[in-house]
Amino acid sequence: HVKMGNALYNLGMAYRNDIERLDLSSEAFARFVDIQPADARVPEAYYFLYLNAKDAGELTKAQHYASILQDKFPGTKYALIAADPSYVNELLSANNSIESFYDATFAAFENEDYKRAYDAFEEAKTRFGTGHPYISKFALLQAMAVGKLQGKEQYIETLRTVVAQYPNTPEQIRAREIIRFLGGDEDAFDKSWNAELIVSTFKYEPDKLHYVVVVLYNEDVVKIDEAKIAVNNYNNLFHKLEKYSIRSFIINRDDKTPAILIRKFDNKDQSMAYYNEVDKRMEDFLPKEADAEVYAISQHNYREMIKAGGIDSYRSFFDDNYLR
């Protein structure tokens, strides 16, 4: 239920903020609170149900959700904002920490003060520094504000900037999913929990032969041949003695996503050493504009992944067994 809950929550956000389908957003959030009643995001989900009803002119329903917030979650910022929208201004004037500043900025966004949400990114960098983990959150929120202020094309471009500038963050993953969603992939947020049906076929084999896979998501911007040349140049520069071979292939059958296979590594440790190295040298590894993911994978799991239809089937297994 956890991964399904995450997918429903993300769909609720996407339908509300990205394509403004309030009915579908409310359906997703209602299912989310039903299957994940103990999740920490439930008060926020009820707040979005309140906002969706209010924005749709369904004032009786909006009051129903406001009452739930008051009864079940009294004292939370969501209950306070629903009771008194001017509370947002109090939050903004009392932003002694980056967390409270972010909460206030997000509340301003939800109250349609998109310029305030846009400007907050630069303000947060100035006040709290560019290296703070919350900065990627502000960057994504700024991109969402761009979508409201400037339209879909500029929204996608700004999301791509988030993907490129904030690797290995939840915001990078979220931005990539939104790009896919805006491109017409309505399953962008739920492939991960569908993959639970497949993940049992994978084996943890740290001492067996391994590969590294590079998945390229924006071949419309960076061609797979450009990426292959960059990877080959990287290996010639940093790994000439290892003589790694590379080839391209289609990794996701449904959307024909291209990828690069780098082989071979004697075991997990060797493949993860390479993974960690390129993670720190991504500007040398791939063209700057590339939207890509990198994975270490055993030979057996590579074959199972291909049979399963793509990288989505493997992602959670990799996270659980290689990154934790």
Side-chain angles (χ1 to χ4, degrees), residues 29-66:
F29 281 126
R31 289 182 61 199
F32 169 75
V33 299
D34 183 52
I35 70 169
Q36 291 289 103
D39 193 288
R41 294 168 294 180
V42 165
E44 188 174 28
Y46 274 117
Y47 176 63
F48 289 132
L49 285 165
Y50 157 78
L51 286 177
N52 286 345
K54 182 181 175 184
D55 291 347
E58 300 173 334
L59 300 186
T60 300
K61 187 178 288 186
Q63 185 55 49
H64 168 70
Y65 290 123

Side-chain angles (χ1 to χ4, degrees), residues 231-290:
V231 171
N232 189 60
N233 289 341
Y234 177 90
N235 286 341
N236 284 336
L237 182 61
F238 296 105
H239 294 281
K240 194 164 187 176
L241 295 179
E242 287 87 344
K243 297 181 180 178
Y244 296 131
S245 67
I246 64 172
R247 69 174 180 84
S248 57
F249 66 105
I250 298 299
I251 193 168
N252 287 350
R253 288 196 299 263
D254 292 341
D255 54 14
K256 308 300 182 186
T257 304
I260 299 169
L261 183 70
I262 305 170
R263 56 184 184 183
K264 47 194 173 175
F265 303 83
D266 291 341
N267 50 47
K268 170 193 169 184
D269 288 346
Q270 284 188 10
S271 64
M272 284 303 293
Y274 185 91
Y275 169 93
N276 290 322
E277 178 192 290
V278 301
D279 184 52
K280 296 174 183 176
R281 293 175 171 171
M282 195 59 70
E283 68 280 1
D284 299 317
F285 186 63
L286 289 170
K288 181 180 178 181
E289 300 82 7

Side-chain angles (χ1 to χ4, degrees), residues 202-213:
F202 296 124
K203 298 178 182 179
Y204 181 60
E205 303 175 313
D207 298 324
K208 295 294 182 69
L209 190 70
H210 272 63
Y211 304 145
V212 167
V213 170

Side-chain angles (χ1 to χ4, degrees), residues 75-119:
T76 64
K77 60 179 177 287
Y78 304 109
L80 293 169
I81 294 170
D84 180 11
S86 66
Y87 179 66
V88 172
N89 294 326
E90 294 181 33
L91 283 174
L92 285 167
S93 64
N95 46 57
N96 297 321
S97 70
I98 194 169
E99 291 89 351
S100 63
F101 184 46
Y102 176 79
D103 287 344
T105 303
F106 191 85
F109 175 88
E110 288 300 330
N111 280 332
E112 301 183 3
D113 189 352
Y114 303 128
K115 187 177 186 307
R116 185 72 184 85
Y118 180 91
D119 292 341

Side-chain angles (χ1 to χ4, degrees), residues 111-297:
N111 280 332
E112 301 183 3
D113 189 352
Y114 303 128
K115 187 177 186 307
R116 185 72 184 85
Y118 180 91
D119 292 341
F121 176 50
E122 295 300 328
E123 185 177 343
K125 288 194 293 184
T126 300
R127 293 179 55 191
F128 302 103
T130 58
H132 195 287
Y134 261 68
I135 294 301
S136 59
K137 295 179 182 291
F138 281 95
L140 180 59
L141 193 54
Q142 185 189 59
M144 292 164 65
V146 165
K148 297 295 186 181
L149 295 169
Q150 301 179 33
K152 180 179 176 180
E153 289 187 9
Q154 193 59 40
Y155 184 22
I156 291 174
E157 286 304 309
T158 312
L159 287 168
R160 284 175 171 161
T161 300
V162 174
V163 168
Q165 293 186 351
Y166 300 97
N168 301 317
T169 64
E171 289 69 43
Q172 182 195 50
I173 295 171
R174 167 77 178 167
R176 184 180 287 122
E177 289 173 336
I178 294 173
I179 292 169
R180 289 164 55 196
F181 185 77
L182 292 173
D185 181 3
E186 295 191 359
D187 293 330
F189 301 106
D190 66 6
K191 287 181 177 177
S192 61
W193 54 264
N194 284 340
E196 281 189 316
L197 301 175
I198 303 167
V199 74
S200 61
T201 65
F202 296 124
K203 298 178 182 179
Y204 181 60
E205 303 175 313
D207 298 324
K208 295 294 182 69
L209 190 70
H210 272 63
Y211 304 145
V212 167
V213 170
V214 182
V215 187
L216 182 64
Y217 288 103
N218 62 335
E219 201 187 13
D220 57 324
V221 177
V222 176
K223 298 300 182 185
I224 189 65
D225 286 343
E226 295 177 64
K228 282 176 65 179
I229 290 170
V231 171
N232 189 60
N233 289 341
Y234 177 90
N235 286 341
N236 284 336
L237 182 61
F238 296 105
H239 294 281
K240 194 164 187 176
L241 295 179
E242 287 87 344
K243 297 181 180 178
Y244 296 131
S245 67
I246 64 172
R247 69 174 180 84
S248 57
F249 66 105
I250 298 299
I251 193 168
N252 287 350
R253 288 196 299 263
D254 292 341
D255 54 14
K256 308 300 182 186
T257 304
I260 299 169
L261 183 70
I262 305 170
R263 56 184 184 183
K264 47 194 173 175
F265 303 83
D266 291 341
N267 50 47
K268 170 193 169 184
D269 288 346
Q270 284 188 10
S271 64
M272 284 303 293
Y274 185 91
Y275 169 93
N276 290 322
E277 178 192 290
V278 301
D279 184 52
K280 296 174 183 176
R281 293 175 171 171
M282 195 59 70
E283 68 280 1
D284 299 317
F285 186 63
L286 289 170
K288 181 180 178 181
E289 300 82 7
D291 175 10
E293 292 177 342
V294 182
Y295 297 90
I297 188 168

